[in-house]
Amino acid sequence: MADMEGILEVARRHGLAVIEDAAHALPASRAGHAAGSLGVAGALSFYATKTVTTGEGGMLVTNSDAIADRARSMRLHGISRDAWKRYAASGSWYYEIEDVGFKYNMTDLAAAIGLAQLERAESMRRARERIARQYASGIGDAGLTGQIDLPVVPAQGDVHAWHLFPIRLREGGAERRAAVIERLRDDGIGTSVHFIPLHMHPYYRRTYGYAPADLPIARAEYEREISLPIYPDLAAGEVERVIAAISRSLG
């Protein structure tokens, strides 16, 4: 998780509301606070690649009754009362459209999958943590720490979701990163890059006039990042194979 206390302090000084993007963070925590629980609202993603999944969809979490009521209405066409409540024994047929809303509600079937996933969230996180530790120790044992920067580990008492395991190459920039990804692919190992900076995408370049050099730190970090495979069922032997392939690709 980010340094939320620092972010919240800036927000307090300027009278700003903080909405947490916790899409990748469940079930992470920092200083005893769960991801998504520190701002006025937090957004969680349950897309297929996330730590807890419903296949598609997400969730807004908040302690504000006003925000929750507004979200409930706007997620379903701006209707004042959803169909389930209207047809319940204590419900009423009457409803009103209070605003121009959206069709953003999750299906009941997806929510059922999510409830089952939540029961496994911590065990799956521990599995990813085991994999992350094996990557870190294995990369060190392979003598690669002079060529690779590893992810920052959480402080004592904090909990890392380990949704991703991003490494960063110390030398060579985008060309070397591309070559390493290609060599890993030749070894049957899929990787990704998280993420392409927004200012480098065509829409932002076209709409706001951004150029890749406008945000040099973001660009430099992006050009050396590779995300390695990490998911709960990744076996120890498969992690060893990834590390061996990285060693060959950097040789």
Side-chain angles (χ1 to χ4, degrees):
M1 285 177 61
D3 177 12
M4 289 301 298
E5 271 307 311
I7 293 171
L8 291 169
E9 175 56 31
V10 172
R12 282 190 288 266
R13 288 203 312 267
H14 296 279
L16 301 172
V18 174
I19 300 173
E20 291 180 74
D21 178 357
H24 298 168
L26 194 69
S29 64
R30 181 166 177 159
H33 298 287
S37 69
L38 290 165
V40 297
L44 307 178
S45 173
F46 301 144
Y47 182 61
T49 59
K50 300 303 190 291
T51 54
V52 168
T53 182
T54 59
E56 184 58 277
M59 180 181 287
L60 181 74
V61 293
T62 180
N63 286 326
S64 166
D65 289 338
I67 292 175
D69 289 342
R70 174 69 169 168
R72 289 189 187 101
S73 173
M74 294 301 289
R75 74 178 175 179
L76 193 61
H77 309 303
I79 293 176
S80 60
R81 186 174 301 159
D82 66 36
W84 184 266
K85 291 182 179 177
R86 294 203 305 274
Y87 297 129
S90 59
S92 168
W93 61 268
Y94 186 78
Y95 68 91
E96 294 178 324
I97 296 178
E98 298 175 334
D99 213 327
V100 179
F102 306 94
K103 188 71 168 67
Y104 284 172
N105 59 305
M106 181 185 290
T107 68
D108 292 341
L109 289 175
I113 294 171
L115 290 172
Q117 284 271 297
L118 281 174
E119 293 178 358
R120 303 175 55 210
E122 179 55 25
S123 64
M124 292 190 294
R125 188 204 66 80
R126 287 196 298 268
R128 290 191 299 274
E129 184 175 64
R130 170 189 58 77
I131 294 164
R133 288 176 175 172
Q134 185 182 354
Y135 269 135
S137 62
I139 287 171
D141 292 343
L144 300 176
T145 51
Q147 301 183 66
I148 292 173
D149 288 326
L150 296 172
V152 176
V153 297
Q156 184 69 31
D158 292 349
V159 177
H160 198 308
W162 292 114
H163 168 60
L164 301 172
F165 192 88
I167 62 172
R168 292 175 294 173
L169 306 182
R170 290 191 176 179
E171 297 178 352
E175 289 186 6
R176 190 183 192 209
R177 191 265 306 274
V180 170
I181 289 175
E182 188 65 31
R183 289 178 194 139
L184 292 174
R185 182 185 298 134
D186 291 342
D187 278 336
I189 296 168
T191 59
S192 192
V193 174
H194 295 90
F195 290 94
I196 303 173
L198 288 182
H199 77 286
M200 296 177 65
H201 285 281
Y203 172 80
Y204 291 89
R205 297 202 312 267
R206 183 175 67 248
T207 305
Y208 301 108
Y210 285 129
D214 287 347
L215 297 169
I217 295 176
R219 179 185 180 185
E221 293 303 307
Y222 152 68
E223 289 181 345
R224 67 192 190 103
E225 194 272 342
I226 303 172
S227 294
L228 302 183
I230 184 167
Y231 52 92
D233 291 337
L234 189 65
E238 293 173 315
V239 175
E240 292 174 359
R241 189 168 82 85
V242 173
I243 295 169
I246 292 170
S247 184
R248 289 192 298 270
S249 71
L250 293 175

